[in-house]
Amino acid sequence: MTRIDCRQISGDDLAGSEQVRLAFDSLTRHGFAILDHVLPQERVRALNAEFAAGYDRYLQNSELDDTLKVGNKRYMIPVALSGGFGDPLVYANPFVVALARHVLEPDAILESFGAVVSLAGSRQQHIHRDGRLLFDSAISTMLPAHALTFVLPLVDMNDINGTTAISPGSHRWKVRNEEAPPVALDVPAGSCVLWDFRLYHGGTSNRSDATRPILYGTYSRHWYRDSRNFEKKEQRHLAFDEGFLDSVPEDRRSLFAHLVAADAMAR
Ligand SMILES: O=C(O)CCC(=O)C(=O)O
């Protein structure tokens, strides 16, 4: 399994680096890429503490108006782009954005951002793709990716806390091959994983006595919207306060271009 050590990327040309090329290769061939050391572990520990303090009302086994139950004791919840989560190193990490722009074209957007929590004792999640195939066509699985899921765990994703098990290469499958055993990923805090929206995967059980939160982001081509995981009107694709967009660094603004366009149309 290819793992990209982002500490070894030097210089300003991330997009042209050998590591981003390798990650691109892994994503297009196998449907996923693991990037190690995208953030210092202390930073992730601080994010986990901020999450535990600010989102405790969500850490219960019931679906709220703005959350979605995605499995046994497993919920998708909104996380505001503020505090530590509003840091561009988190929602628009340089390594992740370089890769997303390479796979999805330079005008890729951040379509949604939030967390998936699996509560202590949660059972294995059903195996699924993150969205429907784009077309009901034989070529759907041969096309380049239209969206990527980015997962940044706030605690280690492993056999005890629970992780995500994926079926390598399944973004090219027309139907699920139930014979192929999924691979459980080992993603320590500070690392992240990206997968093609078409990849079959599912969260594994949480055998610890603590919640396992993971941050997720959906990076997509500028025209794509994720309707499947946002079936309720109270759910937010992106949550932020006034002023956030002005704080986004110039070279990250295009990630939010779809919001500016939607805002202009509403006026
Ligand atoms: O909880 C996990 O590890 C994966 C969650 C997931 O794939 C989903 O909810 O779509």
Side-chain angles (χ1 to χ4, degrees), residues 70-71 74-76 116-118 125-126 128-130 149 151 157 162-165 195 201-204 212 214 229:
V70 292
R74 195 178 303 261
Y75 296 89
M76 188 173 129
V116 174
V117 293
S118 70
Q125 190 187 28
H126 60 287
H128 61 283
R129 302 191 201 255
D130 277 333
T149 298
V151 165
M157 282 168 86
T163 180
T164 311
W195 62 73
H201 66 280
T204 66
R212 186 228 55 182
I214 56 179
N229 298 299

Side-chain angles (χ1 to χ4, degrees), residues 31-222:
F32 73 103
I34 299 175
L35 306 185
D36 284 317
H37 306 290
V38 291
L39 278 181
Q41 285 197 336
E42 317 75 78
R43 176 67 76 91
V44 179
R45 266 196 288 277
L47 287 173
N48 192 34
E50 185 176 343
F51 183 80
Y55 290 85
D56 54 334
R57 81 181 188 89
Y58 288 108
L59 306 184
Q60 51 170 297
N61 190 16
S62 51
E63 188 178 278
L64 305 178
D65 286 348
D66 57 351
T67 68
L68 192 68
K69 185 165 189 192
V70 292
N72 169 258
K73 295 190 176 175
R74 195 178 303 261
Y75 296 89
M76 188 173 129
I77 70 173
V79 173
L81 292 162
S82 64
F85 307 108
D87 182 338
L89 284 179
V90 175
Y91 68 79
N93 187 274
F95 305 110
V96 173
V97 170
L99 180 58
R101 285 181 171 159
H102 195 21
V103 176
L104 302 166
E105 296 193 334
D107 60 352
I109 58 167
L110 180 62
E111 201 275 341
S112 50
F113 181 85
V116 174
V117 293
S118 70
L119 304 174
S122 69
R123 294 199 297 268
Q124 164 87 40
Q125 190 187 28
H126 60 287
I127 304 287
H128 61 283
R129 302 191 201 255
D130 277 333
R132 286 184 201 92
L133 296 178
L134 273 191
F135 308 104
D136 182 17
S137 157
I139 63 161
S140 298
T141 53
M142 294 154 71
L143 296 173
H146 58 278
L148 303 175
T149 298
F150 151 73
V151 165
L152 181 81
L154 297 185
V155 296
D156 295 344
M157 282 168 86
N158 58 28
D159 184 42
I160 304 292
N161 297 336
T163 180
T164 311
I166 56 132
S167 297
S170 57
H171 59 315
R172 304 287 179 215
W173 294 354
K174 293 194 178 66
V175 288
R176 189 174 147 217
N177 174 1
E178 303 204 11
E179 310 285 291
V183 176
L185 300 175
D186 191 356
V187 190
S191 298
C192 70
V193 53
L194 289 103
W195 62 73
D196 187 306
F197 237 49
R198 296 167 293 184
L199 195 79
Y200 278 107
H201 66 280
T204 66
S205 53
N206 178 349
R207 301 193 290 125
S208 78
D209 54 9
T211 299
R212 186 228 55 182
I214 56 179
L215 294 180
Y216 78 85
T218 298
Y219 293 94
S220 73
R221 291 186 190 257
H222 69 94

